[in-house]
Amino acid sequence: MDDASARMDGKVSPVLAEGRQGARKEQSMTLWQALRLYPKAVGWSVLLSSTLIMEGYDLALLSSMYASPVFNQKFGVQTASGKWAVPASWQSGLSNGARCGEVIGLLINGLVSERLGYRKTMIYALATITAVIFLFFFAVNVQMLLAAEILAGVPWGIFQTLPASYASEVCPVVLRPYLTTFINMCWVFGQFVAIGVNRGSISRDDQWAWRIPFGVQWVWPIPIMIGCLFAPESPWWHVRQGNVQGARRALQRLTSSNDPNFDPEETIAMIQHTNELEKSLSSGTTYWDCFKGTNLRRTEVVCLVWLVQTLCGQNLMGYFAYFCVQAGLPTVESFNLSLGQYGLGVLGTIGSWFLMSYAGRRTIHISGLASLFVLLVITGSLSFAPGDNSAAKWAIGVMLVIFTFCYDISVGPVTYSLVSELSSTRLKAKTIVLARCLYNISNIVVNVLTNYQLNSTAWNWGARCAYFWAGTCLASLVWAFFRLPEPKGRTYEELDLLFERGVPARKFATTVVDPYEGEATEVHEARADKD
């Protein structure tokens, strides 16, 4: 159904006309109208996104465990000073074991989700993580813990990308930024719960100081899995499979039947038109096709926007309690600050929803990176205060709390919206998988660096490592300014044509494009023509 064959005798075919009408209705839809029409889609998207609580929980739990005396005595070695600590090499191994497993899970997701669908893939991943938690709970040495991290990383890799793809496809344009950034809230909430559970267990002097936090992981997978059994599949997935009837049924399950103005046939026609348009621009759906033609630029942007998350100093948030202990704060107070840190992270994500209703994703992302750069420079500078200056130590902790808030109101949540919107729908799963693979590989390097920077048995940089991450944050800011486009308010069809026309990143927001005519003009040029 290409545009040329869709026009007959100067008239637009009924299917194309329905698609255009569906696209216009979706773009003109207000937030309240979308919530009334798509309440079920919101609920199903929230359910699938809640799987990220598990990944956020474990990753924050593991890094905060390094500040637990009982955990260090069980899985670490005794240092020359008489204290117990997990060596930097094993800290890196445990953190990177999970990342390696996630890369495997991401690749599996890219291949399996397009064949089985999002729903079935998620169910299998949840069943896997339920079994792997037994390894965490009954670990007897650090080697067994490493095996658990690697195996758990496989379903976590699926959780990292599948909810974003699902959320971006089951909801209209106006809801996409809220539901894709909600994923970041789930991740932050998991971290908050991890710190709270660890804070409540750290005063124990027996094995339950670390077994209880690991056992809490069983709370999420089974209820979510039961919910996924009844979840509808993405109508976009059905269309890509050539099953228009299945797409129609899925759309009916995702929407409310109380809106007399909603015509599901128009939305189906829009999805079909987008799919055919992308097939005409780039017919393949393999990983190699992500690097062909206009998809190369989209892959670059999506991959690097996720890479920026690791380069902007975000890793210090996961090591917050350990970072504060190494900076000289008491263990219990470090955990107390961590709770405040992640609490503000949740509020920051909520705040990003209000920001995105007024400002563009690009603006928020660039402003956030600039703020993080300044905070990292201040944090590094505070490390030069005398060792007996307790005020400076607390100031370092406060700076990182503010850093978390700024990150979670800007770069953190907006990234999920950007990667889901800027990739093509036919290659969405594979593009996001490639981006997240790069993110996880970079995290392997970053985890090694952070562990050696903070560990007292290695480089022992303490808070001065913030200078290092300030440099990488500045590099990220420069890239974002020149290469990051603005997708706010755009349908997938419009984004396809903007990339196909090679519109510069800084002109995405000011370019008018009609997917049903195939012409793009600058806003000021269009206005000049009218005058």
Side-chain angles (χ1 to χ4, degrees):
M1 187 186 64
D2 57 32
D3 287 356
S5 60
R7 292 174 172 82
M8 299 171 293
D9 299 327
K11 297 181 180 179
V12 179
S13 72
V15 174
L16 194 61
E18 284 184 338
R20 174 185 289 171
Q21 185 66 15
R24 288 176 176 173
K25 282 185 177 180
E26 183 169 313
Q27 283 188 304
S28 63
M29 196 179 295
T30 66
L31 176 61
W32 178 241
Q33 288 173 333
L35 288 173
R36 290 181 59 188
L37 181 58
Y38 285 87
K40 299 174 186 177
V42 171
W44 292 120
S45 176
V46 167
L47 176 71
L48 268 67
S49 297
S50 60
T51 55
L52 268 296
I53 295 174
M54 287 180 280
E55 190 212 5
Y57 178 91
D58 185 84
L59 294 180
L61 179 66
L62 181 63
S63 56
S64 66
M65 281 287 193
Y66 300 144
S68 170
V70 178
F71 180 85
N72 285 327
Q73 190 170 356
K74 173 66 178 179
F75 297 102
V77 296
Q78 195 168 22
T79 63
S81 63
K83 294 183 178 180
W84 291 84
V86 177
S89 58
W90 272 108
Q91 287 184 8
S92 299
L94 290 171
S95 300
N96 293 337
R99 298 300 181 186
C100 291
E102 286 171 350
V103 170
I104 297 172
L106 287 164
L107 295 174
I108 291 174
N109 179 54
L111 296 171
V112 173
S113 62
E114 277 302 311
R115 293 174 181 242
L116 300 181
Y118 299 137
R119 186 180 67 89
K120 289 183 179 179
T121 304
M122 181 63 77
I123 291 171
Y124 292 142
L126 288 165
T128 302
I129 192 62
T130 303
V132 173
I133 294 172
F134 281 95
L135 287 177
F136 284 108
F137 190 78
F138 293 106
V140 296
N141 52 42
V142 70
Q143 291 85 356
M144 190 171 176
L145 202 57
L146 175 60
E149 291 288 341
I150 295 173
L151 292 174
V154 175
W156 288 339
I158 294 173
F159 300 156
Q160 286 178 343
T161 55
L162 194 148
S165 300
Y166 186 84
S168 66
E169 291 187 3
V170 300
C171 293
V173 171
V174 70
L175 287 179
R176 268 187 315 203
Y178 300 99
L179 292 177
T180 51
T181 55
F182 177 77
I183 295 171
N184 187 76
M185 176 180 284
C186 292
W187 189 69
V188 175
F189 181 72
Q191 293 177 314
F192 179 80
V193 174
I195 297 300
V197 172
N198 209 9
R199 169 65 179 83
S201 305
I202 200 170
S203 58
R204 301 183 66 97
D205 56 3
D206 56 13
Q207 61 178 336
W208 297 105
W210 57 271
R211 286 194 192 273
I212 290 175
F214 282 137
V216 169
Q217 293 179 98
W218 273 308
V219 170
W220 291 282
I222 294 177
I224 297 175
M225 184 162 50
I226 294 173
C228 287
L229 290 172
F230 302 96
E233 189 52 78
S234 163
W236 290 80
W237 180 82
H238 281 298
V239 168
R240 290 194 293 270
Q241 301 300 312
N243 183 6
V244 177
Q245 188 60 35
R248 189 175 292 108
R249 287 194 301 267
L251 186 61
Q252 289 170 345
R253 291 191 60 199
L254 289 165
T255 55
S256 171
S257 59
N258 297 328
D259 191 340
N261 296 320
F262 175 68
D263 184 357
E265 297 304 321
E266 293 175 348
T267 302
I268 295 296
M270 179 189 68
I271 296 173
Q272 288 179 287
H273 179 262
T274 304
N275 188 58
E276 293 299 323
L277 176 63
E278 292 186 358
K279 285 171 67 176
S280 67
L281 297 177
S282 179
S283 60
T285 57
T286 66
Y287 278 112
W288 181 241
D289 291 297
C290 294
F291 302 96
K292 292 181 179 179
T294 58
N295 287 323
L296 175 61
R297 180 185 175 192
R298 302 179 83 153
T299 301
E300 175 231 325
V301 173
V302 173
C303 285
L304 289 186
V305 79
W306 226 327
L307 181 63
V308 165
Q309 279 198 331
T310 60
L311 297 180
C312 71
Q314 169 251 19
N315 210 49
L316 294 180
M317 293 158 45
Y319 285 80
F320 184 87
Y322 183 59
F323 182 93
C324 290
V325 169
Q326 296 305 104
L329 285 176
T331 300
V332 174
E333 297 302 332
S334 297
F335 276 98
N336 289 339
L337 270 178
S338 292
L339 286 172
Q341 172 206 18
Y342 291 119
L344 278 178
V346 173
L347 293 178
T349 304
I350 296 174
S352 72
W353 296 344
F354 293 97
L355 276 182
M356 283 189 292
S357 63
Y358 297 102
R361 330 278 197 261
R362 169 186 163 89
T363 302
I364 297 171
H365 194 270
I366 291 176
S367 301
L369 285 174
S371 301
L372 298 181
F373 169 73
V374 173
L375 290 169
L376 286 168
V377 171
I378 295 173
T379 302
S381 301
L382 287 169
S383 66
F384 290 98
D388 58 351
N389 189 334
S390 61
K393 295 174 183 177
W394 278 99
I396 289 173
V398 170
M399 285 297 106
L400 285 182
V401 170
I402 298 174
F403 180 97
T404 301
F405 178 78
C406 289
Y407 175 85
D408 285 313
I409 201 173
S410 59
V411 177
V414 170
T415 294
Y416 288 95
S417 179
L418 287 168
V419 299
S420 63
E421 291 181 299
L422 294 176
S423 53
S424 72
T425 59
R426 287 178 59 79
L427 289 169
K428 184 185 296 292
K430 290 182 173 62
T431 306
I432 295 178
V433 162
L434 289 172
R436 196 67 188 193
C437 280
L438 179 62
Y439 170 85
N440 286 329
I441 292 170
S442 69
N443 255 310
I444 292 174
V445 178
V446 168
N447 283 333
V448 172
L449 286 174
T450 306
N451 285 321
Y452 277 87
Q453 287 170 352
L454 296 180
N455 198 295
S456 58
T457 64
W459 302 343
N460 197 27
W461 287 4
R464 294 181 188 182
C465 71
Y467 278 136
F468 178 88
W469 300 113
T472 57
C473 184
L474 180 61
S476 301
L477 177 60
V478 173
W479 172 85
F481 180 79
F482 289 103
R483 298 294 292 170
L484 184 62
E486 176 56 71
K488 182 184 178 184
R490 299 289 192 179
T491 65
Y492 287 122
E493 295 165 303
E494 290 177 325
L495 290 171
D496 289 338
L497 284 183
L498 287 168
F499 277 108
E500 194 270 335
R501 303 284 180 183
V503 176
R506 285 173 289 173
K507 294 184 178 180
F508 257 56
T510 58
T511 301
V512 176
V513 63
D514 186 350
Y516 297 90
E517 296 296 335
E519 298 179 352
T521 56
E522 290 295 322
V523 169
H524 59 82
E525 292 175 358
R527 289 174 178 169
D529 292 340
K530 290 179 181 179
D531 295 340

